[in-house]
Amino acid sequence: TFETAFKLYCFDRELRLLVLREIEKIEVAVRSQMNHLLAHYKGVQWFRDSSLFRDQEKLEDSLEKLRTDFDRSDEEFIQVFKEKYSDDFPPCWMMLEVTSFGTLSMMYENLKPGKTKRKIAAQFGLDRKAFTSWLHTIVYIRNVCAHHNRLWNRTLSIRPRIPRTPHYQWLTHSSGNDKAYFMLSMVIYFLNTVNPKHTFPSKFRNLLHKYSNIDVAAMGFPDDWEEEELWK
């Protein structure tokens, strides 16, 4: 019925808003950790240091995106920097503040394997390959939500890597890695590392209670999902 379709739309809208708010917290944490660790290792303009990166063409692409972000930013701290200094780029704590999460994700992927790259991933309880994959997925989901695209029963075109040795509580089993269930579980896992007092599972349950017609199986949820420690 039309009413059923409308309720599905309303549920999807509220789910997107909920996920987008939580991804914002994850994004801030990733920016902070990358800046903190890489600045200590290579200085405040680490993002320009070619010795850090595997692929120099990808580095140039990233720097071009950074230049664009810097040039078009209307943030007050960027405008003040431009007035006082003639440097091509500001320090990393300014630059990454106006850089897209997608560019940040690509820069992490392009880092050479090593202690610092592993340490960044370890801050979030993952190995570097899983962290790279999850970052790309989070960026993809963020774009889905920001552009008001359907999320609730979407089949993910970017499938996140299943972590082999997660440092923290993870799913005991899942029904696949291409549906909302796996993606939402990823969000919880990240939040457990950056904001342990979060209430995302209860917020999601409240949303299901509000829209009782939602078929969670269409979202990839197994029958016993509420028994998973991650979701308690």
Side-chain angles (χ1 to χ4, degrees), residues 116-139:
T116 304
K117 188 172 186 177
R118 291 195 304 271
K119 196 170 182 179
I120 293 169
Q123 294 292 319
F124 300 92
L126 297 167
D127 64 79
R128 61 181 176 82
K129 290 184 178 180
F131 185 64
T132 299
S133 171
W134 283 27
L135 276 188
H136 288 339
T137 304
I138 290 292
V139 170

Side-chain angles (χ1 to χ4, degrees), residues 26 90 170:
I26 297 168
W170 180 238

Side-chain angles (χ1 to χ4, degrees), residues 44-58:
V44 299
Q45 295 218 341
W46 60 264
F47 51 86
R48 303 178 70 179
D49 192 328
S50 60
S51 68
L52 268 177
F53 299 94
R54 295 182 293 110
D55 188 316
Q56 298 304 307
E57 287 189 12
K58 287 184 178 179

